Amino acid sequence: MAVLSAGLLAAGVLRHYWDIYVHRTVRGISFIFVAIDAAGDLFSLVSVLFQPTLNVLGLVIYGTELALWIGIFACGGYFNLVPWVRKELETSKSNILANFFSRITGRSQGIEEIDLPSSTSVFWTPSDEIAVARARTSASRRANMDDSGNRVTTTEGAAD
């Protein structure tokens, strides 16, 4: 019965290996559960080693389970952790380059600057909202003027 139980446990873990092979990622596996189960196998393996007589079947069963769970951890590191770290490094590298470029040229690249009112207090008053609205309307009026100062009308979204 112990051999049948160990075989079925190994088959349950090998099912995860098939999923990892097919999808090239570790998905749907709780690494906390894997860590707890692997720790249980490790402590059971150590307890078998400290018995007065060596139980080879126990060593094989617990060693197999431990090796399979360690393999799941290794696949998780290879398929999930390594690409995540690469993406984070690329993101931070591009942020560093963008900051470096903006310092050299004195302007930011690809980042739209937002004008905030001088007071960034959490206490907004109606007069603050009116001032912001006026600033937005005057900016849109300036955007709708041509070089000679004449008003230009546009019909956005209208069918031709």
Side-chain angles (χ1 to χ4, degrees):
M1 289 308 287
V3 173
L4 179 64
S5 173
L8 292 174
L9 281 171
V13 177
L14 287 172
R15 179 179 59 89
H16 294 298
Y17 279 96
W18 178 254
D19 189 51
I20 292 168
Y21 174 74
V22 168
H23 298 286
R24 297 288 190 249
T25 185
V26 179
R27 61 190 188 129
I29 297 176
S30 168
F31 285 100
I32 294 172
F33 170 77
V34 171
I36 291 170
D37 202 356
D41 291 329
L42 178 67
F43 291 129
S44 297
L45 191 61
V46 170
S47 73
V48 168
L49 288 173
F50 283 105
Q51 293 295 319
T53 59
L54 191 62
N55 184 353
V56 177
L57 185 60
L59 285 175
V60 170
I61 291 171
Y62 294 127
T64 302
E65 283 292 314
L66 181 62
L68 289 172
W69 287 127
I70 289 173
I72 295 289
F73 263 118
C75 289
Y78 181 75
F79 287 114
N80 294 8
L81 184 64
V82 170
W84 179 80
V85 168
R86 282 186 185 145
K87 185 177 88 172
E88 290 296 316
L89 287 175
E90 287 297 319
T91 303
S92 66
K93 192 185 301 182
S94 65
N95 287 343
I96 290 170
L97 289 175
N99 288 339
F100 180 72
F101 179 76
S102 67
R103 286 184 185 158
I104 290 175
T105 61
R107 58 187 159 103
S108 56
Q109 180 179 1
I111 300 172
E112 184 178 324
E113 294 184 18
I114 299 172
D115 281 335
L116 292 176
S118 61
S119 171
T120 55
S121 171
V122 294
F123 302 108
W124 282 88
T125 62
S127 62
D128 287 336
E129 292 176 9
I130 291 170
V132 170
R134 283 184 184 154
R136 287 183 186 155
T137 356
S138 63
S140 66
R141 283 187 194 137
R142 284 191 301 266
N144 290 333
M145 300 293 233
D146 63 3
D147 292 335
S148 62
N150 295 329
R151 186 165 185 79
V152 176
T153 58
T154 59
T155 54
E156 294 177 340
D160 290 326

